[in-house]
Amino acid sequence: MPLQMKLAAITLDCPDPPALAAFYQEATGLELHPKSDAGFAGLNGEHGLLLGFQRVDDYRAPTWPDQIVPQQLHICFAVEEDLAVAEARLLELGAGKPDHQPHGDKARVLTDPVGHPFCVVRR
């Protein structure tokens, strides 16, 4: 019988947890976890899932799509709005847009302010 595990948290390494949490909070509307601090910040997600951000000294941003510094993690977010609208808003919040876009019109690959790649797909 398989173990009954439920995903409880996804945590990203970063140089400044409160700043990265603020980016994702603006992008998702998730609530800041009340025990967030300079070493670890979290956002309370759906169904109890915590999106966390932990301080790492000498953090090195992923270099996607090349893997000189591996991406380590890839998150996908579904959006209700048109992908161009979602992309524009995320860029305003501080996301980056790599030149390499492997999914055509189906998804946008962006990077958060510290370089983690993530996708935005239409729900």
Side-chain angles (χ1 to χ4, degrees):
M1 173 196 269
L3 199 59
Q4 297 297 312
M5 296 191 330
K6 180 180 176 187
L7 183 61
I10 297 171
T11 301
L12 299 148
D13 291 350
C14 64
D16 184 348
L20 194 54
F23 167 79
Y24 279 102
Q25 184 177 27
E26 280 291 321
T28 64
L30 296 176
E31 182 180 316
L32 186 65
H33 190 280
K35 293 185 179 179
S36 296
D37 61 29
F40 184 90
L43 299 176
N44 297 318
E46 296 178 27
H47 310 292
L49 181 65
L50 179 82
L51 183 56
F53 311 95
Q54 67 185 359
R55 178 180 302 283
V56 171
D57 292 333
D58 302 321
Y59 172 79
R60 291 180 44 202
T63 55
W64 187 89
D66 70 50
Q67 293 294 306
I68 294 169
V69 178
Q71 70 185 26
Q72 306 146 16
L73 178 72
H74 185 99
I75 302 174
C76 292
F77 294 94
V79 297
E80 297 291 335
E81 47 277 298
D82 180 78
L83 287 178
V85 172
E87 175 187 314
R89 177 69 177 127
L90 289 162
L91 292 173
E92 286 175 8
L93 294 174
K97 183 178 179 186
D99 292 335
H100 182 63
Q101 294 291 317
H103 305 298
D105 292 336
K106 295 179 184 177
R108 299 289 197 287
V109 179
L110 301 172
T111 56
D112 68 23
V114 299
H116 299 110
F118 65 95
C119 280
V120 179
V121 299
R122 179 115 164 110
R123 187 178 305 223

